[in-house]
Amino acid sequence: MIKEINKKKNLFYINVIKVLSAILIILCHYDIHSYYRNQQTILITRLTFFRVDIGDIGVSLFIIISGLTLALSFNNDNSIWKFYKKRFLAIFPSYWVSYIVVVIVFFMIGKTFTETNYWKFLLTVIGIDGLFLHKMAGFYLIGEWYLGFILTMYLVFPFLYSRVKKNPIQIFTILFLINIILHMQYNKYFLIKEHHNPLMRVLDFSFGILLTIYIEKRKKLKNILVLLAVFYLVFYRGMSEMLPYEYHMTFIGFALFLVLEYLIKISRLEKIKMLPKIVAYLSSLTFLSFLVHHQIILLFYEKIDDLEMFEYPKKFLIFLIIILMSFGYAISALPAVKYITKKLSIKLKI
């Protein structure tokens, strides 16, 4: 396990990538709604970079960070139940508070649920309704497919971590081979989009774990991987033509993470006064802002006629307002989330 001092040193680059990923996802959803309404729309930026959707890039970085940070903080001396209790507190108070807030706004603007199968609300309560949107809408409002995915990863993390820690290269190779086999037969067995399927994104998640417990300790290997990452990003066009989208997307995520980590570390930005604290604070707000950002975007498109046809300056201003509202909501909701988390932690004896 990496020493505690190294964990603290690494937090800055993690926080920077986390905030960047959140902004990429918000930007993707903002632009994509314009594009769906009118393909002649002016976009804030391109919908793809390195021939990968910017939203997929943001999510890939998030998934790698999730595996990495869990591996950094996981302590084998803790019981598995304690781990699950902590993950429960990290997700559900934020999710439930956000869902209630969105429901209140939902009814205030005159919207209602048309779903009459009330058993589906159970999927909403446990946060996995977004993962089943390909089959049914139910009472879904927030969380996207990602929330159901990360809850699934939390369930398997203790087992996955112990296996990767014991045989890192072997297990990662096995996971890669399983992924290839499933990809070849994917449409036979699954209806969910391939890059939304937890089974297919274990690879990204495991890469974060592998970075923490194996690669980070081997400087030569890390440097070689950074060089390979640069190579992949430079020759991404050829790579995208050789590989299926799902694998190209995964490798772009790996490559960007490695390059961003390297650039952030050598930039010495953490030496700038107050910047680490500001970035850490914004990072702590990313999950809450992620939960509500899509509803905020939809509200703007519903209330402003022809928003998709606005000129760039106006459109960019609205994008900034959406970011401010998303993170502003997170700031305002955080005290309630902390209060509920504290009460539940007492009940759960953590």
Side-chain angles (χ1 to χ4, degrees):
M1 180 66 71
I2 297 172
K3 294 179 181 179
E4 194 67 29
I5 188 170
N6 288 333
K7 292 181 186 179
K8 292 179 180 178
K9 183 179 177 182
N10 287 338
L11 284 178
F12 179 73
Y13 87 85
I14 293 171
N15 289 335
V16 171
I17 297 175
K18 199 173 179 183
V19 173
L20 176 62
S21 301
I23 293 172
L24 282 177
I25 291 168
I26 296 173
L27 176 57
C28 171
H29 289 151
Y30 180 61
D31 266 351
I32 204 71
H33 279 290
S34 284
Y35 185 77
Y36 283 157
R37 287 168 178 248
N38 191 324
Q39 292 187 9
Q40 304 304 313
T41 187
I42 298 172
L43 300 174
I44 299 298
T45 187
R46 293 156 46 194
L47 291 175
T48 64
F49 285 91
F50 303 105
R51 293 190 175 177
V52 176
D53 294 346
I54 57 171
D56 288 338
I57 291 174
V59 170
S60 291
L61 295 175
F62 255 136
I63 293 173
I64 294 168
I65 288 171
S66 297
L68 188 152
T69 51
L70 282 179
L72 275 175
S73 61
F74 191 68
N75 188 340
N76 284 328
D77 293 331
N78 291 339
S79 70
I80 290 178
W81 285 117
K82 190 171 183 179
F83 167 80
Y84 286 142
K85 288 176 185 178
K86 286 183 176 179
R87 293 305 97 206
F88 174 88
L89 293 175
I91 292 290
F92 285 105
S94 295
Y95 171 68
W96 289 334
V97 167
S98 299
Y99 189 85
I100 291 168
V101 169
V102 172
V103 164
I104 292 170
V105 174
F106 197 71
F107 284 111
M108 283 176 63
I109 62 176
K111 289 189 174 184
T112 56
F113 290 105
T114 57
E115 182 61 63
T116 56
N117 293 314
Y118 297 108
W119 65 267
K120 292 180 183 178
F121 189 64
L122 176 62
L123 299 179
T124 299
V125 171
I126 61 177
I128 62 171
D129 52 354
L131 196 59
F132 289 92
L133 276 179
H134 64 287
K135 296 195 74 172
M136 54 187 172
F139 297 90
Y140 167 81
L141 284 176
I142 62 171
E144 320 285 337
W145 64 271
Y146 177 81
L147 182 58
F149 159 79
I150 201 61
L151 288 170
T152 305
M153 291 300 98
Y154 285 168
L155 284 175
V156 302
F157 174 78
F159 173 79
L160 187 61
Y161 176 84
S162 64
R163 300 281 80 78
V164 174
K165 187 176 181 181
K166 189 174 180 180
N167 298 294
I169 301 301
Q170 295 92 323
I171 296 299
F172 190 76
T173 302
I174 290 169
L175 290 173
F176 202 171
L177 292 173
I178 292 172
N179 189 285
I180 292 171
I181 292 167
L182 289 175
H183 172 78
M184 292 170 65
Q185 301 292 322
Y186 192 82
N187 292 329
K188 261 188 191 180
Y189 303 107
F190 302 102
L191 295 175
I192 188 172
K193 289 181 180 178
E194 187 167 342
H195 56 288
H196 290 183
N197 190 331
L199 275 174
M200 306 305 289
R201 302 309 295 268
V202 170
L203 200 62
D204 312 53
F205 189 74
S206 301
F207 183 70
I209 299 173
L210 192 69
L211 277 171
T212 304
I213 64 177
Y214 185 79
I215 297 172
E216 194 65 37
K217 299 176 183 179
R218 293 161 174 81
K219 289 185 179 181
K220 287 185 179 179
L221 175 60
K222 185 73 173 289
N223 291 336
I224 291 170
L225 288 176
V226 171
L227 288 174
L228 289 173
V230 172
F231 176 88
Y232 196 95
L233 294 176
V234 170
F235 296 100
Y236 74 92
R237 291 181 184 275
M239 296 299 183
S240 69
E241 292 169 1
M242 290 170 53
L243 298 170
Y245 176 81
E246 289 76 16
Y247 289 104
H248 177 61
M249 173 194 71
T250 299
F251 294 145
I252 286 291
F254 291 176
L256 280 174
F257 189 91
L258 289 166
V259 171
L260 283 171
E261 177 190 349
Y262 177 78
L263 292 175
I264 293 166
K265 284 182 175 179
I266 66 170
S267 69
R268 304 285 185 179
L269 288 172
E270 73 273 16
K271 301 295 183 181
I272 299 175
K273 191 176 181 180
M274 294 300 295
L275 185 60
K277 288 184 178 180
I278 294 170
V279 174
Y281 181 63
L282 290 174
S283 177
S284 71
L285 301 173
T286 53
F287 181 58
L288 279 165
S289 62
F290 165 79
L291 287 173
V292 300
H293 80 277
H294 214 147
Q295 288 296 341
I296 293 172
I297 291 170
L298 289 173
L299 192 60
F300 270 87
Y301 277 101
E302 288 172 7
K303 298 301 180 182
I304 301 178
D305 293 334
D306 298 323
L307 170 57
E308 67 275 11
M309 299 311 297
F310 277 21
E311 295 179 352
Y312 191 90
K314 289 183 180 178
K315 213 164 186 185
F316 186 76
L317 178 61
I318 291 173
F319 170 63
L320 292 179
I321 293 170
I322 289 169
I323 290 178
L324 289 173
M325 287 181 67
S326 299
F327 279 85
Y329 159 76
I331 292 170
S332 63
L334 197 58
V337 170
K338 285 183 175 179
Y339 176 80
I340 295 170
T341 302
K342 184 177 180 180
K343 292 294 182 182
L344 286 173
S345 64
I346 294 171
K347 294 282 186 183
L348 295 173
K349 298 180 180 178
I350 296 179

